Each structure stands twice: as C-alpha cells, then as structure tokens.
Short mmCIF file of all heavy atoms in Angstrom, two decimals:
data_model
loop_
_atom_site.label_atom_id
_atom_site.label_comp_id
_atom_site.label_asym_id
_atom_site.label_seq_id
_atom_site.Cartn_x
_atom_site.Cartn_y
_atom_site.Cartn_z
N ASP A 729 -38.29 -68.49 12.83
CA ASP A 729 -38.10 -68.06 11.46
C ASP A 729 -37.74 -69.23 10.56
O ASP A 729 -37.40 -69.05 9.40
CB ASP A 729 -37.03 -66.97 11.38
CG ASP A 729 -35.66 -67.47 11.85
OD1 ASP A 729 -35.59 -68.58 12.41
OD2 ASP A 729 -34.68 -66.74 11.66
N SER A 730 -37.81 -70.44 11.09
CA SER A 730 -37.51 -71.73 10.44
C SER A 730 -36.01 -72.00 10.37
O SER A 730 -35.60 -72.96 9.72
CB SER A 730 -38.14 -71.85 9.05
OG SER A 730 -37.36 -71.25 8.03
N SER A 731 -35.19 -71.20 11.06
CA SER A 731 -33.76 -71.47 11.08
C SER A 731 -33.48 -72.69 11.96
O SER A 731 -34.21 -72.96 12.91
CB SER A 731 -32.99 -70.27 11.62
OG SER A 731 -33.38 -69.96 12.94
N PHE A 732 -32.43 -73.42 11.62
CA PHE A 732 -32.06 -74.59 12.41
C PHE A 732 -30.56 -74.78 12.38
O PHE A 732 -29.88 -74.44 11.41
CB PHE A 732 -32.75 -75.85 11.89
CG PHE A 732 -32.33 -76.24 10.50
CD1 PHE A 732 -31.26 -77.10 10.28
CD2 PHE A 732 -33.00 -75.74 9.39
CE1 PHE A 732 -30.86 -77.46 9.00
CE2 PHE A 732 -32.61 -76.08 8.09
CZ PHE A 732 -31.54 -76.94 7.91
N THR A 733 -30.05 -75.32 13.47
CA THR A 733 -28.66 -75.75 13.57
C THR A 733 -28.68 -77.06 14.34
O THR A 733 -29.24 -77.12 15.43
CB THR A 733 -27.80 -74.72 14.32
OG1 THR A 733 -27.85 -73.47 13.62
CG2 THR A 733 -26.35 -75.19 14.40
N ALA A 734 -28.07 -78.09 13.78
CA ALA A 734 -28.09 -79.40 14.43
C ALA A 734 -26.75 -80.09 14.26
O ALA A 734 -26.15 -80.04 13.17
CB ALA A 734 -29.20 -80.28 13.85
N GLY A 735 -26.29 -80.71 15.33
CA GLY A 735 -25.10 -81.52 15.22
C GLY A 735 -25.36 -82.76 14.38
O GLY A 735 -26.49 -83.26 14.33
N VAL A 736 -24.34 -83.23 13.70
CA VAL A 736 -24.45 -84.44 12.88
C VAL A 736 -23.80 -85.58 13.65
O VAL A 736 -22.59 -85.64 13.80
CB VAL A 736 -23.77 -84.26 11.51
CG1 VAL A 736 -23.88 -85.55 10.69
CG2 VAL A 736 -24.39 -83.09 10.76
N MET A 737 -24.63 -86.50 14.16
CA MET A 737 -24.11 -87.64 14.91
C MET A 737 -23.54 -88.72 13.99
O MET A 737 -22.58 -89.40 14.33
CB MET A 737 -25.21 -88.23 15.79
CG MET A 737 -25.79 -87.27 16.81
SD MET A 737 -24.57 -86.73 18.02
CE MET A 737 -24.24 -88.24 18.90
N GLU A 738 -24.18 -88.89 12.84
CA GLU A 738 -23.68 -89.83 11.84
C GLU A 738 -23.86 -89.21 10.46
O GLU A 738 -24.96 -88.81 10.09
CB GLU A 738 -24.43 -91.16 11.91
CG GLU A 738 -23.92 -92.19 10.91
CD GLU A 738 -24.68 -93.51 10.94
OE1 GLU A 738 -25.60 -93.65 11.76
OE2 GLU A 738 -24.34 -94.39 10.13
N GLY A 739 -22.77 -89.12 9.70
CA GLY A 739 -22.83 -88.54 8.37
C GLY A 739 -21.65 -88.99 7.53
O GLY A 739 -20.62 -89.44 8.07
N TYR A 740 -21.78 -88.87 6.21
CA TYR A 740 -20.76 -89.36 5.29
C TYR A 740 -20.62 -88.43 4.08
O TYR A 740 -21.56 -87.72 3.71
CB TYR A 740 -21.13 -90.76 4.78
CG TYR A 740 -21.36 -91.76 5.87
CD1 TYR A 740 -22.60 -91.90 6.47
CD2 TYR A 740 -20.31 -92.56 6.34
CE1 TYR A 740 -22.82 -92.81 7.50
CE2 TYR A 740 -20.52 -93.48 7.35
CZ TYR A 740 -21.77 -93.59 7.94
OH TYR A 740 -21.97 -94.50 8.97
N VAL A 741 -19.47 -88.46 3.48
CA VAL A 741 -19.27 -87.81 2.20
C VAL A 741 -19.87 -88.70 1.11
O VAL A 741 -19.81 -89.93 1.20
CB VAL A 741 -17.76 -87.57 1.93
CG1 VAL A 741 -17.53 -87.03 0.51
CG2 VAL A 741 -17.18 -86.62 2.97
N ILE A 742 -20.46 -88.08 0.10
CA ILE A 742 -20.89 -88.80 -1.10
C ILE A 742 -19.93 -88.42 -2.23
O ILE A 742 -19.71 -87.23 -2.49
CB ILE A 742 -22.33 -88.42 -1.51
CG1 ILE A 742 -23.32 -88.75 -0.39
CG2 ILE A 742 -22.73 -89.16 -2.79
CD1 ILE A 742 -24.74 -88.28 -0.66
N ARG A 743 -19.37 -89.43 -2.88
CA ARG A 743 -18.48 -89.21 -4.03
C ARG A 743 -18.97 -90.04 -5.21
O ARG A 743 -19.09 -91.26 -5.11
CB ARG A 743 -17.04 -89.60 -3.69
CG ARG A 743 -16.40 -88.76 -2.61
CD ARG A 743 -14.93 -89.12 -2.42
NE ARG A 743 -14.37 -88.45 -1.26
CZ ARG A 743 -13.95 -87.19 -1.25
NH1 ARG A 743 -14.00 -86.49 -2.38
NH2 ARG A 743 -13.46 -86.65 -0.16
N ASN A 744 -19.27 -89.33 -6.29
CA ASN A 744 -19.70 -90.00 -7.53
C ASN A 744 -20.84 -90.99 -7.29
O ASN A 744 -20.82 -92.13 -7.76
CB ASN A 744 -18.52 -90.71 -8.18
CG ASN A 744 -17.44 -89.73 -8.61
OD1 ASN A 744 -17.74 -88.67 -9.15
ND2 ASN A 744 -16.19 -90.07 -8.33
N GLY A 745 -21.82 -90.53 -6.52
CA GLY A 745 -23.01 -91.34 -6.30
C GLY A 745 -22.86 -92.48 -5.33
O GLY A 745 -23.75 -93.34 -5.25
N GLU A 746 -21.75 -92.52 -4.57
CA GLU A 746 -21.55 -93.59 -3.60
C GLU A 746 -21.21 -93.01 -2.23
O GLU A 746 -20.54 -91.97 -2.13
CB GLU A 746 -20.44 -94.53 -4.07
CG GLU A 746 -20.77 -95.29 -5.34
CD GLU A 746 -19.72 -96.31 -5.69
OE1 GLU A 746 -18.67 -96.34 -5.01
OE2 GLU A 746 -19.93 -97.09 -6.64
N ILE A 747 -21.66 -93.71 -1.18
CA ILE A 747 -21.35 -93.28 0.18
C ILE A 747 -19.89 -93.58 0.46
O ILE A 747 -19.44 -94.72 0.32
CB ILE A 747 -22.27 -93.99 1.20
CG1 ILE A 747 -23.74 -93.61 0.93
CG2 ILE A 747 -21.89 -93.62 2.63
CD1 ILE A 747 -24.73 -94.39 1.75
N ALA A 748 -19.14 -92.55 0.88
CA ALA A 748 -17.69 -92.68 1.08
C ALA A 748 -17.34 -92.52 2.57
O ALA A 748 -18.01 -93.10 3.42
CB ALA A 748 -16.96 -91.67 0.21
N GLU A 749 -16.31 -91.74 2.85
CA GLU A 749 -15.76 -91.67 4.22
C GLU A 749 -16.71 -90.96 5.19
O GLU A 749 -17.46 -90.06 4.81
CB GLU A 749 -14.40 -90.97 4.20
CG GLU A 749 -14.45 -89.49 3.85
CD GLU A 749 -14.26 -89.23 2.36
OE1 GLU A 749 -14.53 -90.15 1.56
OE2 GLU A 749 -13.89 -88.10 2.01
N PRO A 750 -16.69 -91.36 6.47
CA PRO A 750 -17.52 -90.72 7.49
C PRO A 750 -16.97 -89.35 7.86
O PRO A 750 -15.79 -89.05 7.63
CB PRO A 750 -17.44 -91.68 8.68
CG PRO A 750 -16.13 -92.38 8.51
CD PRO A 750 -15.92 -92.50 7.03
N ILE A 751 -17.85 -88.50 8.41
CA ILE A 751 -17.45 -87.18 8.88
C ILE A 751 -17.65 -87.10 10.39
O ILE A 751 -18.44 -87.86 10.97
CB ILE A 751 -18.21 -86.06 8.17
CG1 ILE A 751 -19.74 -86.21 8.36
CG2 ILE A 751 -17.85 -86.03 6.69
CD1 ILE A 751 -20.54 -85.07 7.76
N LEU A 752 -16.95 -86.18 11.01
CA LEU A 752 -16.97 -86.04 12.47
C LEU A 752 -17.04 -84.56 12.84
O LEU A 752 -16.43 -83.72 12.18
CB LEU A 752 -15.69 -86.65 13.07
CG LEU A 752 -15.47 -86.43 14.58
CD1 LEU A 752 -16.51 -87.24 15.38
CD2 LEU A 752 -14.06 -86.83 14.97
N GLY A 753 -17.76 -84.26 13.91
CA GLY A 753 -17.80 -82.90 14.43
C GLY A 753 -18.51 -81.93 13.51
O GLY A 753 -18.24 -80.72 13.54
N ALA A 754 -19.42 -82.42 12.68
CA ALA A 754 -20.10 -81.57 11.71
C ALA A 754 -21.37 -80.95 12.29
O ALA A 754 -22.00 -81.49 13.20
CB ALA A 754 -20.45 -82.38 10.46
N THR A 755 -21.74 -79.82 11.72
CA THR A 755 -22.98 -79.14 12.07
C THR A 755 -23.73 -78.81 10.78
O THR A 755 -23.13 -78.30 9.83
CB THR A 755 -22.72 -77.84 12.84
OG1 THR A 755 -22.04 -78.15 14.07
CG2 THR A 755 -24.01 -77.13 13.17
N ALA A 756 -25.02 -79.09 10.76
CA ALA A 756 -25.86 -78.75 9.61
C ALA A 756 -26.74 -77.57 9.99
O ALA A 756 -27.31 -77.54 11.09
CB ALA A 756 -26.73 -79.93 9.20
N SER A 757 -26.84 -76.59 9.11
CA SER A 757 -27.64 -75.40 9.43
C SER A 757 -28.31 -74.87 8.17
O SER A 757 -27.92 -75.19 7.04
CB SER A 757 -26.77 -74.32 10.07
OG SER A 757 -25.76 -73.89 9.17
N GLY A 758 -29.30 -74.03 8.38
CA GLY A 758 -30.00 -73.41 7.27
C GLY A 758 -31.28 -72.77 7.75
O GLY A 758 -31.54 -72.67 8.95
N ARG A 759 -32.06 -72.31 6.80
CA ARG A 759 -33.40 -71.79 7.07
C ARG A 759 -34.35 -72.62 6.22
O ARG A 759 -34.31 -72.56 5.00
CB ARG A 759 -33.48 -70.30 6.71
CG ARG A 759 -34.78 -69.62 7.09
CD ARG A 759 -34.72 -68.12 6.83
NE ARG A 759 -35.97 -67.48 7.20
CZ ARG A 759 -37.01 -67.32 6.36
NH1 ARG A 759 -36.92 -67.79 5.11
NH2 ARG A 759 -38.12 -66.70 6.75
N ALA A 760 -35.17 -73.41 6.91
CA ALA A 760 -35.96 -74.43 6.21
C ALA A 760 -36.84 -73.85 5.12
O ALA A 760 -36.98 -74.45 4.05
CB ALA A 760 -36.81 -75.20 7.22
N LEU A 761 -37.46 -72.69 5.35
CA LEU A 761 -38.34 -72.12 4.34
C LEU A 761 -37.57 -71.73 3.09
O LEU A 761 -38.11 -71.77 1.98
CB LEU A 761 -39.09 -70.91 4.91
CG LEU A 761 -40.19 -71.24 5.93
CD1 LEU A 761 -40.85 -69.98 6.43
CD2 LEU A 761 -41.23 -72.19 5.34
N ASP A 762 -36.31 -71.34 3.23
CA ASP A 762 -35.48 -71.06 2.06
C ASP A 762 -35.01 -72.35 1.41
O ASP A 762 -34.94 -72.45 0.18
CB ASP A 762 -34.26 -70.23 2.47
CG ASP A 762 -34.64 -68.83 2.95
OD1 ASP A 762 -35.72 -68.35 2.56
OD2 ASP A 762 -33.86 -68.24 3.73
N ALA A 763 -34.70 -73.36 2.25
CA ALA A 763 -34.16 -74.62 1.73
C ALA A 763 -35.20 -75.42 0.94
O ALA A 763 -34.83 -76.23 0.07
CB ALA A 763 -33.63 -75.47 2.87
N LEU A 764 -36.49 -75.21 1.20
CA LEU A 764 -37.52 -75.98 0.50
C LEU A 764 -37.40 -75.88 -1.01
O LEU A 764 -37.59 -76.87 -1.73
CB LEU A 764 -38.92 -75.52 0.94
CG LEU A 764 -39.39 -75.91 2.35
CD1 LEU A 764 -40.72 -75.26 2.66
CD2 LEU A 764 -39.49 -77.42 2.48
N SER A 765 -37.06 -74.69 -1.50
CA SER A 765 -36.97 -74.51 -2.95
C SER A 765 -35.80 -75.29 -3.55
O SER A 765 -35.74 -75.49 -4.76
CB SER A 765 -36.82 -73.02 -3.30
OG SER A 765 -35.61 -72.51 -2.76
#
C-alpha cells in the first residue's frame, strides 16, 4: 500500500535553515503515495 517504516541511522535536526544537533533512535514512517503531494 506504499507504507514504509525505516530506522534512521544518521539524521539531524534542522534549525533556521542550518543542520543542527544529531538524533538517535529515530524511526521515519509514512505512506509514500500520500507523501508525494
């Protein structure tokens, strides 16, 4: 159904257009067909 869940091995917060602190233990999820819009 285009759903996905993936662990984030490397990721960061963005603050005011700049890459800031790293994140840990995060998971990204969604339904790709909905996310396209």
Side-chain angles (χ1 to χ4, degrees):
D729 62 350
S730 84
S731 61
F732 65 90
T733 301
V736 179
M737 300 297 293
E738 181 182 359
Y740 304 87
V741 174
I742 300 174
R743 295 185 188 279
N744 297 317
E746 295 186 354
I747 298 172
E749 67 268 23
I751 58 176
L752 172 69
T755 299
S757 62
R759 186 174 180 270
L761 288 179
D762 294 335
L764 287 175
S765 63

